[in-house]
Amino acid sequence: MKQIVYIVTAKNQSIEVWELLQNGTMYLKQIINTNFQEGQPLVILKKKKKIYIGVRPNYKILVYDILIDGTLKQIGSSTIPYSPNYLSCDDEEKFLFCGYYHAGCMSMSQINKYHLPNKLIQIINNIQGCHSVNINDFNKCIYVPSLLSNRIYLYYIHNIKKKNITLKLLEYVQCKDNSGPRHMAIHSNKKYLYSVNELNGSIDVWKIDKQNMCIINIQNISLFKKQNVSQQAWSADIHITSCGKYLYASDRLHNTITGFHIFNNKLELIDQFHTCAEPKSFCIDKNDKYLICAGQKSNTIILYNIVKHNGSLNQLFEYKVGKQPTWISINTL
């Protein structure tokens, strides 16, 4: 089994391909150009063995084959309407969803037999500060945070097996004022949802009510050990270990990753860990052994060992990468 790490470096206009070895060391395998465009979001299609990356200023989705050794080969591209900031796919990898923060909307495209998302099915407007599109195949729901209106919109994937598939708005939930819901993580049990709030540095825990197609807030917890109502935040990314035991979230203003223990689906603080400058994106390996964080300002990645019995992070290695790493994802071959 190989674990391959993909890092989008916006200013270098490239994707770096690294291999993660069992002892935690990493080495660079490939640097591939993104058509002289700034790369932003990236999504891995594991079944199709493809990678999609959104680029700007010529708004496109670049499509790459994942080769047998994890390196990439571009096979095509598709035009999108606006500057992308988030990409996601359904479990069957039939549809690509894209969030557009500055345009305040999201889109759904169909992926054709050549693996290109070239058929735009729907654009949903009036999502102010649309920052991510999160799919729960457990109940065919999509959760879309609206950072600027402090809302999370819920959509239902309607007629997924038919040609006239659409997204239908179910409801929205109102988050705390000036919280700014940004990215989300769905628990492996598909019954709980965790959203990181960019503006007030907190996490909301939501219970997913499958029968009534809604979400119910059961907890709000700060990322900071010393809580201060006037404390500024610039929180970014959030991920859960595959075992469902630990959750981590990053903050770019404080250069930290905060760890939580998930107990009865609620969060208990483990600790706050200092990391590289502006940790916009991080990922966790398949074995829940390592967490790798990319510093958008430091132009480095730091690899941590996740302590199995308590979820603490121990720094092992730091590597130099290209300028302004905006996204980091990991794939198992």
Side-chain angles (χ1 to χ4, degrees):
M1 180 188 75
K2 288 184 178 180
Q3 294 201 86
I4 306 297
V5 179
Y6 300 98
I7 305 166
V8 180
T9 56
K11 289 302 180 185
N12 280 38
Q13 301 174 342
S14 66
I15 306 171
E16 295 188 7
V17 181
W18 293 68
E19 184 165 345
L20 169 64
L21 302 182
Q22 290 185 0
N23 64 0
T25 59
M26 297 175 62
Y27 72 93
L28 181 64
K29 293 172 70 79
Q30 181 191 30
I31 298 177
I32 189 167
N33 184 271
T34 52
N35 291 2
F36 304 102
Q37 301 288 305
E38 278 197 7
Q40 292 292 322
L42 178 150
V43 65
I44 299 170
L45 284 69
K46 296 188 177 184
K47 294 177 183 177
K48 295 183 184 292
K49 298 180 181 179
K50 301 289 182 289
I51 275 183
Y52 294 167
I53 178 173
V55 297
R56 64 187 186 193
N58 297 328
Y59 308 143
K60 290 182 180 293
I61 302 294
L62 306 183
V63 182
Y64 296 88
D65 262 332
I66 300 175
L67 304 181
I68 192 169
D69 63 349
T71 57
L72 303 178
K73 178 183 178 181
Q74 188 175 349
I75 62 170
S77 65
S78 298
T79 301
I80 50 177
Y82 306 108
S83 178
N85 69 282
Y86 198 91
L87 300 176
S88 57
C89 283
D90 63 303
D91 277 0
E92 295 182 0
E93 299 178 356
K94 292 182 177 180
F95 303 98
L96 176 71
F97 301 87
C98 188
Y100 309 98
Y101 176 84
H102 295 289
C105 65
M106 63 165 285
S107 68
M108 175 174 63
S109 301
Q110 190 166 14
I111 299 170
N112 67 18
K113 63 180 181 180
Y114 304 107
H115 311 296
L116 302 178
N118 66 341
K119 182 182 178 182
L120 185 61
I121 297 173
Q122 191 174 2
I123 294 179
I124 297 177
N125 295 301
N126 300 317
I127 307 174
Q128 298 179 54
C130 175
H131 225 301
S132 63
V133 183
N134 308 272
I135 304 162
N136 187 358
D137 286 86
F138 172 70
N139 60 358
K140 303 302 179 189
C141 268
I142 295 180
Y143 313 110
V144 185
S146 171
L147 189 147
L148 298 179
S149 63
N150 305 301
R151 293 176 176 177
I152 298 172
Y153 289 93
L154 279 70
Y155 297 91
Y156 177 67
I157 306 177
H158 185 64
N159 287 335
I160 193 167
K161 294 183 178 181
K162 299 180 181 180
K163 291 183 178 180
N164 59 336
I165 180 173
T166 57
L167 298 180
K168 293 194 172 182
L169 178 64
L170 291 171
E171 66 163 2
Y172 69 81
V173 292
Q174 194 72 41
C175 304
K176 289 186 177 181
D177 290 346
N178 301 313
S179 58
R182 177 184 168 94
H183 284 188
M184 303 180 118
I186 300 174
H187 196 278
S188 56
N189 64 20
K190 306 293 185 181
K191 296 179 181 180
Y192 289 86
L193 177 70
Y194 303 81
S195 56
V196 63
N197 296 306
E198 176 176 318
L199 303 181
N200 72 357
S202 70
I203 295 174
D204 279 312
V205 182
W206 305 89
K207 181 179 180 181
I208 299 171
D209 186 335
K210 182 179 180 181
Q211 183 176 356
N212 296 307
M213 305 293 282
C214 65
I215 56 175
I216 302 163
N217 187 266
I218 62 170
Q219 185 186 19
N220 176 270
I221 186 169
S222 175
L223 269 66
F224 307 114
K225 293 173 68 175
K226 296 181 179 180
Q227 298 184 33
N228 185 332
V229 292
S230 63
Q231 190 165 26
Q232 292 182 316
W234 195 24
S235 304
D237 208 4
I238 183 170
H239 292 283
I240 300 173
T241 54
S242 59
C243 66
K245 190 174 180 180
Y246 301 119
L247 178 148
Y248 302 90
S250 65
D251 187 272
R252 291 166 290 177
L253 184 63
H254 299 267
N255 302 325
T256 55
I257 294 176
T258 305
F260 297 91
H261 177 221
I262 301 175
F263 183 73
N264 289 335
N265 300 296
K266 290 188 176 182
L267 301 179
E268 298 176 347
L269 179 69
I270 297 171
D271 207 346
Q272 206 174 341
F273 305 93
H274 184 77
T275 190
C276 40
E278 290 192 11
K280 183 179 180 181
S281 180
F282 67 92
C283 62
I284 298 170
D285 84 305
K286 179 181 175 61
N287 300 316
D288 298 337
K289 189 175 181 180
Y290 301 114
L291 184 151
I292 311 168
C293 182
Q296 189 174 8
K297 191 174 181 179
S298 67
N299 303 321
T300 61
I301 56 172
I302 294 181
L303 184 140
Y304 299 89
N305 170 241
I306 300 174
V307 180
K308 188 174 182 180
H309 70 274
N310 65 9
S312 292
L313 300 180
N314 289 334
Q315 182 175 333
L316 297 181
F317 307 105
E318 184 169 9
Y319 298 94
K320 193 74 176 176
V321 296
K323 294 181 180 179
Q324 202 176 101
T326 56
W327 206 276
I328 182 168
S329 295
I330 191 165
N331 188 32
T332 302
L333 301 178

